[in-house]
Amino acid sequence: MSEETIFHKIMNKEIPAVIVFEDDLCVAFKDVNPVAPTHVLIVPRATIGSLNQAVPDHEKLLGHLLMVARDIAASQNFGDGYRVVINTGADAGQTVFQLHVHLIGGRKFHWPPG
Ligand code: DGP
């Protein structure tokens, strides 16, 4: 079962965050603990605990989150690339159980990630 998270409080403007984009489907704000010069989280307004809780009805929303990530990336001075990440489950490093897309850029990344 999905529960209210800190991201719901941010989306409801109950706690502050630096919001860089919002529309009727999602809110994008700066990560409080950035791992790169640009680190933005794109969060759906619909409660979805993780990618594992996504259902076929969410297909268009999931595509929208990626397009928003792409558009925010285009507004940044990224060099030759950026990374889009969805940590899914504790073993992957997910700590907030509301689906979110990390957009990180502004430095060079290595592969495979840690
Ligand atoms: P993940 O580990 O994939 O669940 O990412 C959660 C991210 O959320 C992590 O990078 C830190 C960020 N975060 C946690 N709490 C807050 C908060 O209160 N405000 C903001 N802006 N970001 C937060």
Side-chain angles (χ1 to χ4, degrees), residues 88-107:
T88 305
D91 279 358
Q94 185 175 6
T95 57
V96 179
F97 285 84
Q98 162 70 356
L99 174 69
H100 52 282
V101 174
H102 293 257
L103 168 65
I104 51 179
R107 67 169 172 83

Side-chain angles (χ1 to χ4, degrees), residues 5-62:
T5 66
I6 193 111
F7 291 172
H8 292 84
K9 289 185 166 47
I10 289 172
M11 290 192 283
N12 293 333
K13 311 279 166 67
E14 290 163 18
I15 65 166
V18 180
I19 292 174
V20 299
F21 174 83
E22 62 183 313
D23 64 13
D24 55 333
L25 295 178
C26 69
V27 179
F29 52 88
K30 291 189 180 181
D31 194 294
V32 78
N33 187 22
V35 299
T38 295
H39 188 164
V40 172
L41 304 172
I42 300 123
V43 184
R45 291 189 189 275
T47 296
I48 307 171
S50 82
L51 194 57
N52 286 335
Q53 273 79 57
V55 297
D57 272 359
H58 293 135
E59 204 168 304
K60 205 169 170 187
L61 172 62
L62 295 175

Side-chain angles (χ1 to χ4, degrees), residues 68-92:
V68 168
R70 191 277 310 270
D71 290 348
I72 296 171
S75 75
Q76 303 294 304
N77 267 334
F78 293 156
D80 201 22
Y82 57 89
R83 194 165 282 180
V84 172
V85 175
I86 303 176
N87 294 326
T88 305
D91 279 358

